[in-house]
């Protein structure tokens, strides 16, 4: 048996940290959006005793139990009590790594969906999300995708009015910053700017892309080290100069996205920006799976 699943990237239209949770994790408030940029996950099975093999088209990624796709397959087999087959996972990666786009989380989520298909839908989508929360905070969102308000550690989700059609260009500068370091920096400093999450929810409901685009904001941008903050500011300027009506960093970076009123405008911007940025991607928002 072979099944294929798309593992779509995510963007944070907003990202706010609103408190500390008893387990030491941070309490998040984020508007998350899945986009068409995706990895391809292929899973085949054969009779066996539960071995998992992972291969990818990126030589620097782990092929062992450190890969979230491996962890997802293992957790699925434990939960669904699958003991009589080996699983061969092949990841064709397009989503940039260490970009804040949930690439690893989305691969894990796609593995959970694929395993569930292979096992006759043994688990419900809610159960897949529950399993995903044990793998990483973004995995439950990646199981469903669409437009979601994520709360708690990021795993509690409220479905929102789907994002309006638009074009998206994502640029990934070369640096990446450690996620725990950025959280620690947020704990240390006095926060002086936050996203207007309510305003973003209103913009989604009214379907006004311009209102949404100008409100996209990520609190992690305020605590980047100076050099990285300058790079992100430069990338945002480049996107706006190329016609974006709003630009924002996603997750803990370093990818920055720009929103364009139409796919054609995004394509034009992509045409010029991809000459200057090695990692440049074109996408559109996608709906829940
Ligand atoms: O859940 P995930 O593996 O993506 O989290 C990576 C790291 O980010 C955690 O080890 C933790 O330091 C931090 N984190 C947090 N609060 C959250 C999510 C992540 O402090 N809600």
């Amino acid at each position: 048996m072979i099944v294929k699943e798309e593992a779509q990237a995510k963007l944070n239209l907003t990202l706010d940290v609103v408190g500390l949770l008893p387990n030491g994790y941070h309490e998040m408030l984020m508007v998350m959006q899945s986009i068409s940029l995706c990895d391809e996950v292929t899973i085949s099975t054969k009779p066996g005793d539960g071995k998992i093999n992972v291969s990818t088209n990126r030589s620097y990624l782990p092929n062992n139990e450190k890969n979230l796709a491996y962890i997802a397959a293992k957790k699925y087999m434990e939960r669904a009590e699958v003991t009589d087959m080996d699983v061969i996972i092949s990841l064709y990666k397009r989503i940039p790594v260490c970009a804040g786009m949930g690439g690893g989380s989305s691969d894990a989520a796609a593995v959970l969906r694929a395993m569930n298909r292979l096992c006759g839908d043994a688990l419900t989508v809610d159960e897949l999300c529950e399993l995903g929360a044990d793998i990483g905070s973004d995995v439950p969102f990646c199981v469903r995708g669409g437009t979601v308000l994520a709360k708690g550690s990021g795993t509690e989700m409220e479905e929102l009015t789907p994002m309006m059609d638009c074009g998206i260009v994502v640029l990934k500068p070369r640096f990446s910053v450690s996620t725990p370091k950025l959280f620690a920096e947020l704990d240390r400093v006095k926060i002086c700017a936050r996203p207007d999450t309510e305003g973003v929810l209103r913009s989604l409901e009214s379907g006004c892309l311009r209102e949404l685009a100008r409100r996209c904001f990520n609190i992690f941008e305020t605590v980047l080290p100076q050099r990285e903050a300058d790079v992100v500011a430069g990338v945002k300027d480049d996107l706006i100069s190329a016609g974006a009506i709003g630009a924002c960093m996603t997750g803990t970076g370093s990818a920055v996205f720009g929103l364009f009123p139409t796919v054609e405008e995004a394509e034009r911007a992509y045409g010029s920006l991809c000459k200057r940025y090695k990692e440049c991607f074109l996408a559109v928002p996608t709906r829940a799976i």
Side-chain angles (χ1 to χ4, degrees):
M1 280 274 275
I2 295 190
V3 296
K4 284 179 191 281
E5 279 282 332
E6 269 190 5
Q8 296 185 342
K10 64 93 181 162
L11 297 178
N12 292 97
L13 300 180
T14 67
L15 192 156
D16 201 359
V17 178
V18 293
L20 258 185
L21 295 166
N23 63 2
Y25 267 50
H26 291 76
E27 189 181 352
M28 314 297 294
L29 189 63
M30 319 183 266
V31 177
M32 302 177 83
Q33 176 64 50
S34 56
I35 61 169
S36 54
L37 173 65
C38 64
D39 295 342
E40 275 163 35
V41 178
T42 308
I43 300 198
S44 58
T45 58
K46 59 177 185 177
D49 56 4
K51 284 191 279 299
I52 300 164
N53 179 283
V54 180
S55 63
T56 79
N57 59 332
R58 302 267 162 94
S59 56
Y60 49 85
L61 290 178
N63 283 339
N64 52 25
E65 64 287 346
K66 291 208 174 100
N67 193 308
L68 293 187
Y70 181 107
I71 297 171
K74 191 161 173 49
K75 282 199 183 288
Y76 185 92
M77 290 204 280
E78 280 166 8
R79 174 69 200 269
E81 298 179 359
V82 178
T83 52
D84 58 351
M85 64 189 196
D86 291 344
V87 178
I88 300 108
I89 303 171
S90 162
L91 304 177
Y92 184 81
K93 296 216 50 90
R94 295 193 195 91
I95 305 172
V97 174
C98 296
M101 300 183 76
S105 302
S106 193
D107 294 345
V111 167
L112 293 178
R113 288 195 307 268
M115 291 294 296
N116 207 34
R117 277 170 58 199
L118 283 163
C119 297
D121 290 329
L123 302 184
T124 63
V125 173
D126 281 346
E127 285 170 332
L128 294 183
C129 289
E130 228 172 80
L131 210 48
D134 269 356
I135 303 169
S137 307
D138 287 341
V139 180
F141 168 75
C142 293
V143 167
R144 291 177 200 271
T147 311
V148 159
L149 180 65
K151 299 180 192 168
S153 61
T155 58
E156 293 164 32
M157 291 178 287
E158 191 183 305
E159 212 175 314
L160 299 173
T161 309
M163 186 179 179
M164 47 297 258
D165 290 338
C166 66
I168 301 169
V169 174
V170 182
L171 300 175
K172 160 79 175 67
R174 275 170 192 268
F175 75 88
S176 47
V177 188
S178 131
T179 297
K181 258 196 196 157
L182 278 188
F183 273 114
E185 191 58 18
L186 267 186
D187 294 339
R188 207 181 59 79
V189 301
K190 189 172 171 323
I191 292 163
C192 46
R194 290 186 177 283
D196 172 13
T197 310
E198 284 299 321
V200 166
L201 301 188
R202 281 199 305 277
S203 314
L204 283 168
E205 273 163 33
S206 66
C208 182
L209 181 68
R210 273 181 199 278
E211 290 289 307
L212 171 71
R214 76 177 176 81
R215 288 187 169 116
C216 288
F217 186 74
N218 179 344
I219 199 169
F220 282 125
E221 282 184 45
T222 66
V223 290
L224 284 172
Q226 192 58 51
R227 191 193 305 190
E228 284 77 8
D230 290 346
V231 173
V232 166
V235 175
K236 287 166 80 168
D237 281 349
D238 284 345
L239 284 161
I240 299 289
S241 304
I245 52 175
C248 185
M249 187 174 86
T250 178
T252 47
S254 59
V256 177
F257 63 91
L259 301 181
F260 295 77
T262 62
V263 173
E264 291 70 29
E265 283 164 90
E267 278 170 353
R268 269 200 297 280
Y270 173 84
S272 66
L273 290 166
C274 71
K275 292 180 193 132
R276 295 168 43 208
Y277 287 88
K278 192 166 162 262
E279 294 198 273
C280 180
F281 307 90
L282 193 57
V284 292
T286 55
R287 299 282 170 107
I289 292 153

